[in-house]
């Protein structure tokens, strides 16, 4: 379908409260992003316009002159769809459709459409359906009159019943309640999975970032997984978790989450809370940034705003977050060298290229360092009846040396975190008293 993208730039706040968005992005970057969103669902964008709006109209948002100007453009380009990169009220959407004789969707509707196409698991489909129904609930408009009001009661004496639009809203609400119950089951299932992961205490590392920042490409580079990674907004929707080995042999779980975006619809934030909670559970958060994008600072602010909404404040982020400056391979040589030097001097920044692999080894070392905490050095002699602990030790500790003794026991020199040292002490302590004596810290 041929589509036209309109980016309203509001200069003042209307009495209805429709002011400028909280995003600090430039109008040009907004237009580029909205065009990318449209192309992500195979729309043919034939025109894009930035429209200054000095006085937002409650009925149409745009002024009469701009509406007529855009209508002429639609007729000239034979465009049957208009994407308005701004929230529209149901009245504004309906009035613009009448004026332009074309289908009109706002930013929220476009993102919902993309999510609907990208959802591939049952959980993703449920979340998108719920967000879409909540969005549609306030946009029901009666397109017929012959069923304006149903007859209530029996015979000819029954009074007028509910209107057709009320019946539609009731059916929508019933469907929403059903989906919410199904999502509650999803939440319970996720909680069970998290509980199982805690029993095998592998640290969790979560990738977050603006959409198309390169999270999935980095995920594939580190884990060798085959997650879809394309130069496309919201190429990945459903979260993916994989085990990976750090340089010193420790096993962690890496989680690739849905990309964030500015002005993320509240319907989606609510529906995807179960998915986004994977970030809250993470021991370490990798904030992937596209440093080749001129608007990367504003994108970073949008991501941090969403993390704050989820409950991760600045103090928490300081302890748990590493900034990954991605796509440095796209930079000019001088800018590239400056950025690498700048990242080397920062305590929580690593510059990488997920495509070429530059800086990935440094990132893995930093992840290992941040997760290790205070390392404990230990020497342990495993008796024959405790040799089943060997796989656990190789997964959770750094084995510096190993000696296989003639009596079948094994002596190991280890480095491990305080948490894992306590867990190992507990596991050895469950055996005979002589086993406890073989543990030295």
């Amino acid at each position: 379908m041929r589509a036209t993208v309109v980016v309203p730039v509001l200069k003042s706040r209307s009495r209805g409260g429709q002011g400028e968005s909280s995003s600090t992005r430039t109008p040009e970057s907004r237009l580029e992003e909205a065009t990318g969103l449209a192309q992500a669902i195979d729309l043919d964008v034939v025109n894009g316009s930035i429209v200054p709006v000095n006085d937002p109209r409650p009925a149409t948002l745009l002024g009469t002159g701009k509406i007529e100007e855009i209508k002429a453009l639609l007729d000239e380009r034979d465009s049957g769809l208009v994407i308005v990169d701004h929230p529209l009220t149901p009245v504004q959407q309906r009035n613009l459709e009448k004026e332009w004789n074309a289908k009109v969707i706002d930013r929220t509707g476009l993102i919902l459409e993309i999510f609907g196409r990208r959802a591939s698991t049952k959980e993703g489909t449920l979340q998108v359906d719920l967000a879409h129904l909540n969005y549609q609930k306030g946009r029901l408009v009666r397109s017929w009159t012959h069923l304006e009001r149903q007859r209530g009661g029996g015979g000819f004496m029954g009074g007028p019943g509910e209107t057709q639009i009320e019946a539609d809203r009731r059916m929508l609400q019933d469907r929403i309640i059903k989906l919410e119950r199904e999502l509650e089951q999803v939440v319970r299932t996720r909680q069970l999975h998290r509980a199982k992961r805690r029993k095998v205490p592998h640290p969790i590392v979560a990738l977050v970032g603006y959409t198309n920042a390169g999270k999935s490409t980095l995920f594939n580079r580190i884990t060798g997984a085959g997650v879809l990674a394309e130069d496309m907004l919201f190429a990945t929707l459903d979260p993916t978790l994989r085990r990976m080995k750090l340089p010193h042999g420790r096993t962690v779980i890496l989680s690739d989450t849905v990309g964030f975006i500015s002005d993320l619809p509240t319907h989606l934030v609510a529906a995807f809370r179960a998915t986004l909670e994977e970030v809250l559970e993470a021991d370490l958060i990798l904030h992937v940034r596209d440093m080749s994008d001129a608007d990367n600072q504003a994108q970073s602010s949008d991501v941090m705003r969403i993390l704050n909404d989820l409950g991760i404040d600045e103090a928490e982020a300081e302890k748990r977050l590493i900034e990954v400056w991605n796509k440095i391979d796209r930079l000019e040589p001088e800018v590239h060298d400056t950025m690498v030097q700048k990242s080397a001097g920062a305590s929580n920044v690593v510059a990488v290229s997920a495509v070429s692999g530059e800086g990935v080894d440094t990132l893995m070392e930093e992840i290992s360092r941040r997760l290790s905490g205070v390392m404990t050095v230990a020497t342990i002699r495993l008796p024959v009846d405790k040799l089943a602990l060997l796989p656990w030790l190789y997964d959770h500790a750094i084995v510096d040396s190993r000696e296989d003794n003639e009596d079948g026991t094994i002596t190991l020199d280890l480095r491990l975190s305080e948490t894992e040292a306590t867990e190992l002490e507990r596991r050895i302590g469950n055996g005979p008293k002589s086993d406890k004596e073989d543990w030295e810290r």
Side-chain angles (χ1 to χ4, degrees):
M1 180 180 289
R2 296 166 69 84
T4 294
V5 176
V6 176
V7 178
V9 180
L10 276 62
K11 302 297 184 183
S12 62
R13 292 191 175 273
S14 69
R15 287 169 294 183
Q18 280 188 306
E20 291 182 286
S21 78
S22 56
S23 176
T24 56
R25 294 170 305 146
T26 62
E28 291 76 18
S29 67
R30 286 180 55 197
L31 177 58
E32 182 181 353
E33 181 179 276
T35 302
L37 289 170
Q39 291 170 342
I41 51 174
D42 303 321
L43 293 175
D44 180 17
V45 180
V46 295
N47 187 64
S49 303
I50 296 172
V51 181
V53 182
N54 294 320
D55 185 21
R57 306 290 177 86
T60 56
L61 182 65
L62 309 178
T64 307
K66 282 297 179 184
I67 290 175
E68 292 176 355
E69 182 182 320
I70 293 171
K71 179 170 175 53
L73 200 60
L74 295 176
D75 294 338
E76 179 187 335
R77 302 291 175 88
D78 190 27
S79 178
L81 174 66
V82 182
I83 297 165
V84 180
D85 189 51
H86 190 276
L88 293 176
T89 66
V91 171
Q92 289 171 343
Q93 183 178 2
R94 184 172 69 246
N95 289 340
L96 288 175
E97 286 181 339
K98 287 180 179 178
E99 293 286 345
W100 290 334
N101 193 28
K103 175 70 177 174
V104 175
I105 61 174
D106 64 0
R107 182 180 179 83
T108 301
L110 178 60
I111 295 174
L112 285 171
E113 181 68 25
I114 296 171
F115 273 47
R117 295 204 186 184
R118 295 284 185 272
S120 58
T121 64
K122 181 181 178 183
E123 176 186 356
T125 304
L126 283 173
Q127 291 171 135
V128 172
D129 285 349
L130 179 61
H132 195 268
L133 287 174
N134 277 314
Y135 174 70
Q136 285 295 112
K137 188 168 64 171
R139 294 175 180 266
L140 285 177
V141 290
R142 190 177 65 233
S143 57
W144 52 78
T145 56
H146 63 287
L147 291 177
E148 181 175 1
R149 192 175 288 276
Q150 300 171 358
R151 177 65 59 182
F156 295 100
M157 299 299 293
E162 63 186 355
T163 61
Q164 185 66 39
I165 196 169
E166 287 169 343
D168 289 345
R169 283 188 179 136
R170 176 172 48 79
M171 286 187 287
L172 265 182
Q173 189 60 38
D174 290 344
R175 175 69 177 149
I176 286 170
I177 291 171
K178 183 175 182 294
L179 286 176
E180 285 175 342
R181 286 173 180 164
E182 292 184 48
L183 270 176
E184 283 175 10
Q185 181 59 47
V186 169
V187 172
R188 285 194 291 270
T189 303
R190 278 198 171 275
Q191 289 171 344
L192 286 174
H193 289 168
R194 290 180 189 131
K196 286 180 181 177
R197 289 201 295 266
R198 290 190 194 102
K199 289 180 181 177
V200 184
H202 295 312
I204 297 173
V205 180
L207 293 169
V208 301
Y210 208 78
T211 181
N212 207 31
K215 296 182 303 303
S216 296
T217 305
L218 182 62
F219 185 87
N220 289 341
R221 166 70 63 173
I222 293 175
T223 65
V227 174
L228 175 66
E230 295 185 12
D231 188 12
M232 178 193 299
L233 298 175
F234 293 119
T236 306
L237 178 58
D238 295 298
T240 308
L241 288 86
R242 292 285 188 278
R243 289 189 184 192
M244 72 171 188
K245 288 273 189 181
L246 292 177
H248 299 295
R250 189 177 190 183
T251 300
V252 300
I253 295 174
L254 189 65
S255 171
D256 183 18
T257 60
V258 63
F260 295 169
I261 196 168
S262 65
D263 302 322
L264 190 68
T266 53
H267 307 298
L268 279 176
V269 174
F272 276 75
R273 181 160 288 277
T275 301
L276 295 173
E277 281 175 357
E278 291 289 350
V279 178
L280 296 178
E281 294 286 325
D283 298 278
L284 191 61
I285 300 170
L286 304 184
H287 176 194
V288 183
R289 295 176 56 182
D290 177 2
M291 302 309 288
S292 67
D293 193 312
D295 235 26
N296 71 80
Q297 188 58 53
Q299 293 175 354
S300 174
S301 298
D302 289 325
V303 171
M304 295 309 297
R305 190 179 300 114
I306 295 172
L307 288 178
N308 188 64
D309 291 342
L310 289 172
I312 300 173
D313 57 20
E314 288 186 17
E316 188 73 14
E318 187 74 22
K319 293 185 293 184
R320 296 168 55 193
L321 191 137
I322 297 175
E323 278 201 4
V324 181
W325 290 357
N326 192 26
K327 301 191 182 182
I328 58 173
D329 55 299
R330 295 187 177 186
L331 303 175
E332 294 295 328
E334 299 82 5
V335 180
H336 169 279
D337 295 344
T338 301
M339 192 161 291
V340 170
Q341 291 175 5
K342 187 177 179 181
S343 67
S347 60
N348 65 334
V349 176
V350 180
V352 306
S353 167
V355 172
S356 69
E358 180 186 358
V360 171
D361 290 342
T362 304
L363 174 62
M364 297 290 281
E365 289 285 351
E366 179 63 17
I367 293 171
S368 183
R369 186 189 70 80
R370 291 283 288 268
L371 290 177
S372 64
V374 179
M375 298 297 287
T376 296
V377 178
T379 300
I380 181 171
R381 182 173 66 86
L382 284 179
V384 176
D385 63 339
K386 289 288 185 179
L387 294 184
L389 279 175
L390 269 177
W392 186 92
L393 285 169
Y394 276 99
D395 271 348
H396 293 81
I398 300 169
V399 180
D400 290 323
S401 68
R402 167 176 171 167
E403 182 181 351
D404 295 287
N405 305 312
E406 291 183 359
D407 60 358
T409 62
I410 296 176
T411 302
L412 300 165
D413 289 328
L414 307 171
R415 283 180 291 149
L416 65 174
S417 69
E418 288 286 346
T419 303
E420 286 159 342
T422 303
E423 174 64 16
L424 178 57
E425 199 166 7
R426 184 190 68 79
R427 288 175 182 241
I428 290 179
N430 288 338
K433 183 177 180 180
S434 60
D435 294 340
K436 296 182 186 180
E437 296 168 355
D438 294 325
W439 164 252
E440 300 175 7
R441 294 173 66 179

